[in-house]
Amino acid sequence: LSAQERVNIDRLMAMSLEELLSVKFTVASLFEETSLEAASTVALLTERDWHQRGARLHHDVYLNQPSVMVLPSFSGADGLAIRGYARNLSTYGIASLLDGVSTNTIVWGNSLISMPNFNLSTLDSIEMVRGTGSAVHGAEAFHGVISLKTFYSDTDMERVTAEYASNDYYHGALQYSTSFNDNWRTNVALAANGQHNQDFRISYIDTASQEQRNELQKNEYETQTAVIKFQSEDNAYHLGFYLNQFDSHDFPGLGRSLGGDDIFLKVMGQDTFFYMTKLGMTQQLPYQMSLDTDGFYWTNHQEYYFIQPAPDMFTATEFNESQWGATITLKQEDNPWHTQWLASLYYEKGNID
């Protein structure tokens, strides 16, 4: 171990259990609370965590989490199994949130397939509930909740990063924060990453000749992500714009996910484009009460292609999905009964073609 690693270990061992569990979360109940106070099993994953583990895709961050399994799915996407419910084609029951807005699609019932990677350099943290979160987040959270918190700084700053690594992996990012008009702050995060042709060798059974064949797969992908947010200095008003594009080529197809040697969809890829706008405000009321009002609109264009081995045929399918809605949440932090409570009204409408 290096000298710095020994210092970090000594510092960690010197901390009490309460200090280790004093990190604040909001994903479990929408109130700030620690692991000791939360009624759910929660985890907070920060920039330090994914840098130490060399995570490249945001699903890589979950690989070391207890009771969580990341399962390769198709077209470069991954499934996520929490507490033993493990099927790489079944990703239902996990609510995916982006700054508090559900991004689960109608087509897949989640955003794990339609948005396989939201660039980590545009995030401050990921909060996770390992177990049911349906009381707050609805029926789609009966296995767990993943809440992405995008970049925010309350001081002026700018940071540019770039890297190139093995397997032709590249990454570049910009984070920028500045105040204007003495009342508003702008936070901008731009990032791109990907990997070029990997030439992975795979074996499969040709359905026409029933012979084993070998071929190379590219396993190539690229992601571009942009987050632009405007927020009043008192955090009373906020406006956000979000963009994410994921493009993958020649990843294992749906046939391998179904099992067996006779794979009828041997290669798949996808090109997905996600855009979201969010507008909201927070009003402080008497008796330690607050009223949060949020409105959102997002659209997700999804295009998938697959190649059948016999005959060698290219096929593509696409979906255009949009959702819009609003949330009104009234909550009270404390009262003479020392009981936190909230009441939330949620409306959402979706369209797919």
Side-chain angles (χ1 to χ4, degrees):
L1 295 176
S2 66
Q4 183 59 49
E5 288 174 331
R6 291 192 182 93
V7 170
N8 291 337
I9 291 175
D10 292 341
R11 186 179 302 164
L12 179 66
M13 297 301 293
M15 295 176 68
S16 67
L17 181 60
E18 288 190 357
E19 288 174 322
L20 290 171
L21 299 176
S22 64
V23 179
K24 296 286 186 178
F25 301 85
T26 59
V27 66
S29 66
L30 303 186
F31 292 99
E32 279 199 352
E33 54 191 359
T34 66
S35 297
L36 291 172
E37 298 165 337
S40 304
T41 304
V42 293
L44 176 66
L45 308 169
T46 65
E47 181 180 13
R48 180 182 178 183
D49 294 313
W50 54 72
H51 279 175
Q52 287 181 336
R53 292 169 177 81
R56 296 180 174 181
L57 302 174
H58 85 251
H59 290 162
D60 294 341
V61 180
Y62 314 130
L63 288 171
N64 72 317
Q65 290 301 301
S67 305
V68 176
M69 182 179 293
V70 179
L71 301 168
S73 190
F74 60 90
S75 67
D78 288 323
L80 202 61
I82 298 177
R83 292 188 173 178
Y85 187 82
R87 288 186 61 203
N88 52 2
L89 281 180
S90 179
T91 50
Y92 298 107
I94 298 177
S96 299
L97 309 177
L98 178 60
D99 279 346
V101 176
S102 172
T103 55
N104 284 25
T105 65
I106 299 173
V107 175
W108 303 108
N110 63 81
S111 67
L112 302 174
I113 303 297
S114 61
M115 194 162 55
N117 183 39
F118 199 90
N119 204 296
L120 291 169
S121 293
T122 62
L123 302 178
D124 271 344
S125 64
I126 301 175
E127 296 183 6
M128 187 177 192
V129 175
R130 300 195 303 270
T132 182
S134 297
V136 174
H137 301 289
E140 59 190 16
F142 58 85
H143 284 307
V145 182
I146 297 171
S147 179
L148 308 183
K149 304 289 188 178
T150 59
F151 167 72
Y152 174 79
S153 174
D154 56 7
T155 59
D156 291 356
M157 60 87 69
E158 60 182 44
R159 180 172 66 171
V160 177
T161 58
E163 64 177 302
Y164 184 82
S166 58
N167 296 342
D168 277 343
Y169 173 79
Y170 64 90
H171 168 265
L174 165 69
Q175 293 180 342
Y176 176 76
S177 180
T178 186
S179 61
F180 64 96
N181 290 341
D182 297 326
N183 294 318
W184 287 84
R185 174 164 293 278
T186 303
N187 285 280
V188 178
L190 308 175
N193 73 335
Q195 67 182 21
H196 297 299
N197 189 350
Q198 301 298 294
D199 281 339
F200 284 149
R201 182 176 298 276
I202 65 167
S203 300
Y204 68 95
I205 302 299
D206 186 281
T207 55
S209 64
Q210 297 300 311
E211 296 178 351
Q212 179 173 317
R213 292 189 175 182
N214 299 311
E215 69 173 37
L216 299 177
Q217 284 189 350
K218 293 180 179 179
N219 280 27
E220 180 180 1
Y221 73 87
E222 57 182 359
T223 309
Q224 297 88 33
T225 307
V227 177
I228 303 174
K229 298 192 295 187
F230 304 93
Q231 192 159 5
S232 61
E233 292 289 356
D234 58 1
N235 295 327
Y237 302 94
H238 60 264
L239 172 65
F241 302 95
Y242 308 78
L243 294 170
N244 188 76
Q245 182 171 13
F246 179 82
D247 191 12
S248 65
H249 302 281
D250 285 10
F251 274 83
L254 198 59
R256 286 202 177 277
S257 296
L258 297 176
D261 293 326
D262 189 8
I263 54 172
F264 65 91
L265 299 175
K266 65 176 182 179
V267 175
M268 291 189 69
Q270 66 169 289
D271 186 3
T272 58
F273 180 81
F274 173 86
Y275 165 76
M276 185 176 80
T277 302
K278 179 188 176 187
L279 175 66
M281 67 177 182
T282 299
Q283 297 173 279
Q284 298 299 326
L285 304 176
Y287 305 107
Q288 299 190 51
M289 297 175 64
S290 63
L291 180 66
D292 297 327
T293 306
D294 292 288
F296 69 89
Y297 169 83
W298 61 256
T299 181
N300 195 339
H301 174 78
Q302 310 165 47
E303 183 174 352
Y304 302 89
Y305 76 84
F306 49 89
I307 300 175
Q308 297 175 339
D312 208 21
M313 182 175 63
F314 178 88
T315 307
T317 184
E318 63 180 298
F319 311 98
N320 288 295
E321 180 173 341
S322 57
Q323 294 188 25
W324 56 95
T327 304
I328 300 175
T329 303
L330 177 67
K331 58 185 181 181
Q332 187 177 35
E333 289 279 353
D334 197 11
N335 49 51
W337 303 278
H338 303 293
T339 301
Q340 293 179 332
W341 63 269
L342 68 84
S344 184
L345 179 63
Y346 181 75
Y347 172 82
E348 180 182 15
K349 187 173 183 179
N351 179 63
I352 184 171
D353 54 50

